[in-house]
Amino acid sequence: MKDQLSGLFAQAMNTLKANKIIPDDHQVNLVFERTRQKEHGDFACNVAMMLAKPARMNPRKLAEMIVEALPEDPLVNKIEIAGPGFINLFLNNDAHLRVLSAVLENAENFGLAEANSKQKILVEFVSANPTGPLHVGHGRGAAYGDALARVLAAAGNQVEREYYVNDAGRQMDILAVSVWIRYLQIAGIGREVSLPSNCYQGGYVTEFGSKIFDEHGEAYFIETEQFLAESLTRSNSEALKELESLSNEELASLCDRLNKSLEELELDYEKKYLEESLDNRIAHAKAVLGDDGFSVFQNTALNSILSDIKNDLSEFGVDYDTWYSEKSLFDSDKIDRAMSSLKESGDVYEKGGAWWFRSTAYGDEKDRVVIRDNGQPTYFASDIAYHKDKIDRGFDLSIDVWGSDHHGYIPRVKASLQALGLEPEKLKVLLVQFAVLYRGGEKVGMSTRSGEFVTLRELREDIGSDAARFFYAMRKSEQHMDFDLDLAKAQNNENPMYYVQYAHARICRLFEKAQEAGIDTDTIGNADFSELGNDQEVAILTLLQRFPEVVEKAASVFEPHQITYFLKDLATAYHSYYNSNKVLEAQESRRLAMLALSEGTRQVINNGLTILGVGAPISM
RNA sequence: GCGCCCGUAGCUCAACUGGAUAGAGCAACGGCCUUCUAAGCCGUAGGUUACAGGUUCGAGUCCUGUCGGGCGCGCCA
């Protein structure tokens, strides 16, 4: 519809250009807006106001000339100039009606652009470390990422979903050590050895330890004394000693330079000490267990957690095309190659025993370490290789969905693409705020390490996948969000998903009733749509017509929540219609048309819910 | 301290990326079921869009500053 109007206005523009009313070379951006109020017609165009300046003319006067130059069109009933210079277009009833046959003909494809007609897009989302079960924060990323992928596909893009598995690096080592310590506790050292606070605390870690003990017995057991002696050789941290050796003046200047208070500084060093002793434990565990033994602990945990995550997401309706292993980046030398290439170009240099990426050359705040002085590549090094690989795989656009706490990471990743001669615009990072959970009116804490968190699985079991997905998809991703678990759990009308689903179920039931009454509902496609025309019917028809526009818009700005708001509007319009129009009591010809309108509504609700990954029940 | 995000009705959130009189839901109040599902509908009330400037025909939206909240600023991921 907008295209058609656009065509009319384009002709008018040409006429005005020919008459030298507006400059020949002036780019005209035609925008048609759905009006908010009926008095303003169906569409409004602001082109007269946009062109007032270049044409050096009063916008209302210019609007008159544009209207004058518009060719006739049978679908346009009336044109008015209003306000500061809006051109308001009133469509005739036929223009409203024709959408209905389009919905009925295209059915589940209505609103969807031609498949794979646009860009090839990779959407990477969730990508949580496989060090524990997914929690509700990941749930929002999952619901958003998948709805985004679906809406992008609906808008005609070829979309692939990917999960980046961080199966390499220090976090995996910490996981293995955590399991080993639990195993030692089970095997007999007992309470004498405690799990350090920076290890993984969740109950699942104990289960893995117990599982390994069941399968391997005491094969990986060592005595308490040996464990304590060897893993805590550095009882006093070098870092703390270093701090203590400084004079007061030096301390003060250090605080000043780092912009931190003395207390913060001490906290930093204490943390550093904890991390150092954890590194010692990792090294110790590897030495005691050997590579094979260590990997028993690591792989037992990794495989189990990963399959749990896959299963969890699948039950949530999220299925990936690719599970991309970070480890594979090492095995295929992609990291080495990316690093050498950056070394050659001078974007990676050595300083203080470590290798640094010169991200400041591309607008980042500071240079970043890619290879630590102990020879270990950082997570960032993998990420450089990973993002390069994504673009190398031929995607026009690569979307990363990240928790917003990682936003500071964006400049360096973009910088790395630039340094590698790739277009940084091909990477789009979308941020998702963590939802703040409330239960019983109180915030629910969330920390993976401490083990106090609500898992995605618990959430799904509480409120169901549909409600969780709809609820998450209802918020703009970057918006802070309060997730009231009690409210979401309560299956009442406060949950907008029920409202939308109910409209769908209502229509299904209406058709059942119609069939029970002997009405031939298969012929609705042949109904005389001109029977429709009251305000509520026009309102619904207008919404149906808007659906493809909403899909396109939502996809272009990466905002699937627009679909949820559209569905609420459509459900409202239908519920209202349903309450004041008795479909089955209408006379035959009108009844058939009303059924056609109802089916059109049902179809669009179904299509919209499908984009959100939410079911459309036929009864409730 | 610096950087990014955010601030809209009592609460939770929209507002077609600069359009006309800022909209929904909940909560409050008043109506509607012998009639296709009341998980619904209709009505009332609720606002200086945090604040102050600026840009222009026009600002919740853009620019500057202030205040308030979140996050980030590691040879962590």
Side-chain angles (χ1 to χ4, degrees):
Chain A
M1 185 58 69
K2 282 187 180 179
D3 290 346
Q4 187 159 350
L5 295 173
S6 216
L8 297 179
F9 274 71
Q11 286 186 49
M13 289 303 116
N14 288 336
T15 309
L16 293 192
K17 278 181 182 175
N19 295 340
K20 307 272 183 219
I21 302 210
I22 50 177
D24 251 355
D25 53 347
H26 196 269
Q27 277 286 345
V28 181
N29 188 21
L30 288 170
V31 178
F32 295 92
E33 237 179 19
R34 293 279 178 182
T35 56
R36 226 186 281 269
Q37 292 165 71
K38 275 199 312 195
E39 302 79 62
H40 297 147
D42 296 293
F43 288 93
C45 185
N46 64 359
V47 68
M49 290 178 289
M50 301 292 285
L51 291 176
K53 194 169 249 182
R56 305 175 68 184
M57 196 180 281
N58 172 314
R60 284 196 68 116
K61 186 151 196 182
L62 184 59
E64 280 175 32
M65 302 185 73
I66 294 170
V67 171
E68 194 75 15
L70 279 175
E72 288 282 323
D73 191 282
L75 294 177
V76 180
N77 199 21
K78 188 170 62 165
I79 300 176
E80 281 180 0
I81 295 165
F86 288 103
I87 300 173
N88 290 335
L89 302 160
F90 293 75
L91 303 183
N92 67 27
N93 205 28
D94 287 347
H96 291 124
L97 292 174
R98 62 179 200 171
V99 68
L100 196 45
S101 34
V103 177
L104 298 179
E105 274 169 33
N106 294 309
E108 69 274 6
N109 291 319
F110 176 78
L112 280 55
E114 190 191 335
N116 304 335
S117 60
K118 292 188 185 156
Q119 290 189 303
K120 188 178 167 194
I121 302 179
L122 180 69
V123 184
E124 182 221 322
F125 59 110
V126 185
S127 299
N129 282 346
T131 51
L134 299 176
H135 56 66
V136 286
H138 301 127
R140 186 171 185 187
Y144 172 71
D146 191 56
L148 177 66
R150 286 171 190 250
V151 80
L152 288 170
N157 299 290
Q158 183 186 336
V159 178
E160 287 184 27
R161 294 166 178 76
E162 184 157 297
Y163 189 116
Y164 180 57
V165 184
N166 294 110
D167 53 2
R170 186 164 177 267
Q171 293 305 318
M172 290 310 299
D173 289 343
I174 296 173
L175 179 66
V177 166
S178 304
V179 176
W180 186 48
I181 292 174
R182 289 300 193 200
Y183 163 90
L184 290 174
Q185 291 176 334
I186 292 158
I189 289 182
R191 287 172 210 88
E192 292 167 58
V193 173
S194 61
L195 191 66
S197 62
N198 49 354
C199 278
Y200 291 97
Q201 308 285 321
Y204 55 92
V205 175
T206 312
E207 284 171 31
F208 299 146
S210 157
K211 188 180 165 203
I212 292 171
F213 183 67
D214 289 348
E215 287 171 13
H216 300 271
E218 298 192 351
Y220 306 111
F221 179 73
I222 61 171
E223 294 299 335
T224 313
E225 294 71 20
Q226 191 196 355
F227 177 85
L228 292 174
E230 294 188 14
S231 65
L232 292 172
T233 44
R234 295 175 75 186
S235 56
N236 280 315
S237 163
E238 298 297 325
L240 282 173
K241 277 183 189 164
E242 189 186 311
L243 189 66
E244 280 160 10
S245 71
L246 294 175
S247 71
N248 284 346
E249 289 79 28
E250 284 169 324
L251 267 179
S253 101
L254 189 63
C255 289
D256 202 44
R257 189 151 45 85
L258 299 174
N259 206 353
K260 281 181 173 162
S261 71
L262 190 58
E263 281 164 5
E264 284 174 319
L265 203 64
E266 281 172 345
L267 217 69
D268 280 0
Y269 275 86
E270 201 177 310
K271 209 165 134 190
K272 197 171 171 187
Y273 163 69
L274 279 172
E275 296 305 317
E276 275 181 13
S277 53
L278 186 55
D279 277 337
N280 289 343
R281 281 202 165 93
I282 291 169
H284 175 239
K286 284 182 173 170
V288 168
L289 300 170
D291 283 351
D292 290 348
F294 193 81
S295 67
V296 165
F297 287 88
Q298 195 162 66
N299 291 340
T300 298
L302 173 64
N303 294 338
S304 169
I305 291 171
L306 203 54
S307 81
D308 176 72
I309 288 175
K310 286 183 184 181
N311 175 271
D312 197 8
L313 287 169
S314 181
E315 285 176 10
F316 197 40
V318 179
D319 291 295
Y320 287 90
D321 298 289
T322 312
W323 293 77
Y324 199 102
S325 155
E326 181 186 4
K327 208 183 260 174
S328 75
L329 287 168
F330 287 92
D331 298 344
S332 60
D333 291 331
K334 281 178 179 159
I335 295 175
D336 285 348
R337 274 184 275 155
M339 290 306 113
S340 337
S341 147
L342 289 171
K343 282 176 191 171
E344 270 172 42
S345 63
D347 290 296
V348 163
Y349 62 92
E350 192 180 6
K351 192 182 95 183
W355 289 87
W356 298 70
F357 171 58
R358 202 185 303 280
S359 45
T360 46
Y362 304 93
D364 196 12
E365 290 172 343
K366 52 178 89 167
D367 289 350
R368 312 289 176 174
V369 170
V370 285
I371 299 170
R372 297 201 265 166
D373 58 6
N374 64 8
Q376 292 293 310
T378 61
Y379 179 88
F380 181 41
S382 316
D383 249 5
I384 291 173
Y386 178 46
H387 285 91
K388 171 174 162 42
D389 184 66
K390 285 186 184 185
I391 293 177
D392 288 347
R393 279 187 275 159
F395 291 99
D396 301 311
L397 181 65
S398 168
I399 295 177
D400 284 11
V401 177
W402 291 353
S404 61
D405 53 337
H406 289 77
H407 66 80
Y409 205 74
I410 299 172
R412 75 191 76 165
V413 176
K414 292 241 182 199
S416 73
L417 292 177
Q418 237 174 309
L420 289 165
L422 303 167
E423 301 164 53
E425 302 78 37
K426 284 193 172 177
L427 172 66
K428 176 83 183 170
V429 181
L430 297 169
L431 301 173
V432 178
Q433 280 282 352
F434 283 123
V436 181
L437 296 183
Y438 289 86
R439 177 170 273 160
E442 287 182 12
K443 280 190 185 180
V444 180
M446 194 167 56
S447 156
T448 314
R449 290 279 182 88
S450 70
E452 302 166 24
F453 52 83
V454 179
T455 63
L456 174 60
R457 183 170 276 115
E458 284 166 356
L459 179 72
R460 289 193 292 102
E461 283 164 1
D462 260 7
I463 67 176
S465 285
D466 279 354
R469 289 190 65 130
F470 195 95
F471 213 94
Y472 276 131
M474 224 163 53
R475 265 57 170 157
K476 201 186 281 184
S477 71
E478 274 182 71
Q479 190 68 251
H480 295 104
M481 169 183 180
D482 286 353
F483 200 132
D484 186 334
L485 293 169
D486 302 316
L487 189 70
K489 214 189 310 188
Q491 304 206 348
N492 60 27
N493 55 358
E494 284 186 41
N495 188 334
M497 180 197 64
Y498 289 97
Y499 185 78
V500 174
Q501 288 186 328
Y502 180 47
H504 185 272
R506 247 186 172 173
I507 296 167
C508 292
R509 179 65 185 141
L510 180 64
F511 271 73
E512 275 180 37
K513 280 274 178 185
Q515 279 151 17
E516 285 168 17
I519 297 166
D520 182 6
T521 55
D522 292 339
T523 58
I524 53 172
N526 304 322
D528 178 8
F529 298 155
S530 68
E531 292 277 4
L532 303 170
N534 70 32
D535 284 356
Q536 289 166 316
E537 286 161 345
V538 171
I540 292 173
L541 288 165
T542 303
L543 282 163
L544 299 184
Q545 207 169 57
R546 268 187 52 202
F547 182 60
E549 297 166 17
V550 171
V551 170
E552 193 189 338
K553 178 74 185 171
S556 69
V557 294
F558 312 111
E559 291 183 355
H561 78 274
Q562 295 198 13
I563 306 287
T564 66
Y565 283 94
F566 169 82
L567 288 174
K568 286 203 294 190
D569 287 346
L570 181 56
T572 300
Y574 191 82
H575 282 311
S576 175
Y577 178 58
Y578 180 93
N579 266 273
S580 50
N581 295 271
K582 293 288 176 220
V583 174
L584 299 183
E585 290 170 16
Q587 75 57 24
E588 197 179 336
S589 170
R590 176 157 163 75
R591 184 177 64 197
L592 202 61
M594 292 170 90
L595 281 168
L597 180 66
S598 298
E599 168 58 17
T601 305
R602 188 206 62 76
Q603 185 69 63
V604 170
I605 290 176
N606 174 79
N607 295 4
L609 287 173
T610 302
I611 288 174
L612 299 173
V614 173
I618 58 170
S619 71
M620 292 174 77

